[in-house]
Amino acid sequence: MSLLSYRRVRKSFGTRAVLDSIDLEVQRGEVITLIGASGSGKSTLLRCTNLLEPIDDGEIWFDGVDISEPGLPPDPVRRRIGMVFQSFNLFPHMTVLENVILAPRKVLGRSKGEAVERAMAMLGRFGLAEKATDYPDRCSGGQQQRVAIVRALQMDPEVMLLDEITSALDPELVGEVLEVVRDLRGQGMTMLLATHEMSFAREISDQVCFLKGGRILEQGPPEQMFTMPAQQETRDFLARVIASGRL
């Protein structure tokens, strides 16, 4: 059974269909990358998965439960499905460590000692231990994004949703964030990510989905998608990516 299953998922904003009959299966430990132009529905699909947006029709199943059922409490789902955004969303009045331990203490009920111990171990793993007492504005963009990832991981999620996590970064900072994602893949984390980093998508993905107009027009292993895409729309998109020097 798939860990995540999307069945005929639809979502509109006003008269504009943002997701149009999405069908997708995500297996445990799999990395699925969503590619496509801005406005194709990638971010909306991630937000619907985390129950930040309700869907209009269809179903989203997670670990055998229809989490899109109206009235379902979102917090238990969000404890198991972590999400990292393109904007870091760190609390500016809290130190890095305070940002990281807040949710485990408030939501999971961990003691301060346990939360600090676990947080420092993970900050150290991602090269951030020396930033623990700094405030976010004393960290680079890449460091802030790594802190945001660590914060999400402190909830021990089963799935990570990564929404264009490098798009707000200067080019020289992108690599350090992508290295964290490589590390998560190596640990077997199930991930669904939207990205414009095509080379990285080709390297890290088990499956790549090309979205256009709210639909998955094509899906397949990265080598197939990037070398022999079946759909003309996919070929046109990748040609534009190559022309811009991003693949």
Side-chain angles (χ1 to χ4, degrees):
M1 182 178 67
S2 301
L3 182 58
L4 269 171
S5 179
Y6 303 81
R7 305 174 185 176
R8 305 174 304 282
V9 172
R10 296 178 181 271
K11 173 69 179 178
S12 296
F13 293 115
T15 59
R16 185 169 70 94
V18 183
L19 300 176
D20 187 2
S21 198
I22 294 286
D23 288 298
L24 179 62
E25 303 292 326
V26 183
Q27 308 301 322
R28 191 177 297 273
E30 197 170 33
V31 177
I32 305 288
T33 301
L34 310 175
I35 65 171
S38 297
S40 59
K42 306 184 301 295
S43 294
T44 301
L45 183 60
L46 298 183
R47 291 177 64 84
C48 288
T49 306
N50 201 239
L51 306 187
L52 292 170
E53 296 283 356
I55 63 174
D56 298 330
D57 197 12
E59 300 170 346
I60 300 176
W61 288 75
F62 172 54
D63 199 18
V65 176
D66 181 6
I67 61 173
S68 59
E69 189 72 28
L72 187 79
D75 287 346
V77 175
R78 292 174 186 157
R79 290 172 197 166
R80 301 175 66 192
I81 302 179
M83 186 163 182
V84 181
F85 304 86
Q86 53 185 304
S87 55
F88 318 125
N89 291 344
L90 300 176
F91 293 111
H93 63 288
M94 292 183 175
T95 65
V96 163
L97 181 60
E98 288 168 341
N99 267 280
V100 170
I101 68 173
L102 179 64
R105 295 199 65 201
K106 295 287 187 182
V107 179
L108 301 182
R110 288 180 187 154
S111 68
K112 183 175 181 180
E114 180 188 5
V116 169
E117 181 179 358
R118 289 170 62 103
M120 288 304 299
M122 192 163 290
L123 288 169
R125 192 174 109 204
F126 293 135
L128 294 164
E130 75 283 357
K131 291 292 182 179
T133 58
D134 286 353
Y135 288 91
D137 64 359
R138 300 289 295 174
C139 301
S140 69
Q143 289 168 337
Q144 290 186 59
Q145 193 60 285
R146 281 186 283 155
V147 171
I149 294 172
V150 169
R151 179 176 61 180
L153 291 173
Q154 288 299 292
M155 300 298 289
D156 295 327
E158 297 168 51
V159 178
M160 285 286 281
L161 310 174
L162 307 175
D163 185 17
E164 304 283 9
I165 59 171
T166 60
S167 64
L169 301 179
D170 293 332
E172 64 269 20
L173 301 177
V174 169
E176 63 187 63
V177 174
L178 297 184
E179 191 58 41
V180 173
V181 182
R182 289 188 186 96
D183 187 80
L184 294 178
R185 176 185 169 81
Q187 297 172 51
M189 175 66 73
T190 306
M191 290 186 280
L192 191 61
L193 59 120
T195 185
H196 289 297
E197 301 290 337
M198 296 297 122
S199 295
F200 186 65
R202 186 171 186 170
E203 168 197 342
I204 199 171
S205 308
D206 293 298
Q207 292 281 312
V208 175
C209 300
F210 171 63
L211 279 74
K212 184 176 181 180
R215 293 187 174 189
I216 297 177
L217 292 189
E218 187 169 358
Q219 176 182 349
E223 284 307 308
Q224 172 194 319
M225 291 291 289
F226 288 111
T227 60
M228 297 178 294
Q231 299 297 321
Q232 184 61 49
E233 291 94 336
T234 312
R235 293 194 290 270
D236 292 343
F237 170 75
L238 292 175
R240 291 192 296 271
V241 169
I242 291 170
S244 68
R246 301 179 73 169
L247 181 61

